[in-house]
Amino acid sequence: WEEGWAHWCRRLLLFRQHHGHVSVPQPPRRSSWGEEARLGVWAMNIRRRLPSALPTAERQLLEGLGFVWNVQERQWESLAAELCLFKQNFGHCRVPKDRAGGNGLGWWV
């Protein structure tokens, strides 16, 4: 476990250096993502555990890297905050579906 843990934490750190975050997506069923697909499966399996089920040092390491335990909740919070900014700027919440520069806010609303 320790050797595997160290390997996947190094992969997670490399992912963060490349992508700027550690929200590793779950790969599609048939994927050619290679090592990133395996990292996505590892992250998914870690997320399925309760954070309290991990040893404290491992949980703290993941959280120090910015590991997101609940991806859907984080995405909802991000889009809700973006919607608040949109309303502050435009005075309404009728976000166009084809809004440029957004992250799907128009479709989410």
Side-chain angles (χ1 to χ4, degrees), residues 78-109:
S78 175
L79 288 166
E82 189 175 337
L83 181 60
C84 288
L85 287 174
F86 183 92
K87 184 173 190 231
Q88 186 177 19
N89 290 330
F90 298 101
H92 61 81
C93 294
R94 295 180 308 275
V95 183
K97 289 196 180 351
D98 61 351
R99 178 173 170 254
N103 59 358
L105 182 64
W107 290 99
W108 182 71
V109 174

Side-chain angles (χ1 to χ4, degrees), residues 59-76:
R59 182 175 30 80
Q60 289 175 341
L61 174 64
L62 289 174
E63 290 171 355
L65 290 172
F67 191 79
V68 175
W69 292 101
N70 188 323
V71 176
Q72 291 84 9
E73 183 178 306
R74 174 67 62 92
Q75 184 178 23
W76 192 95

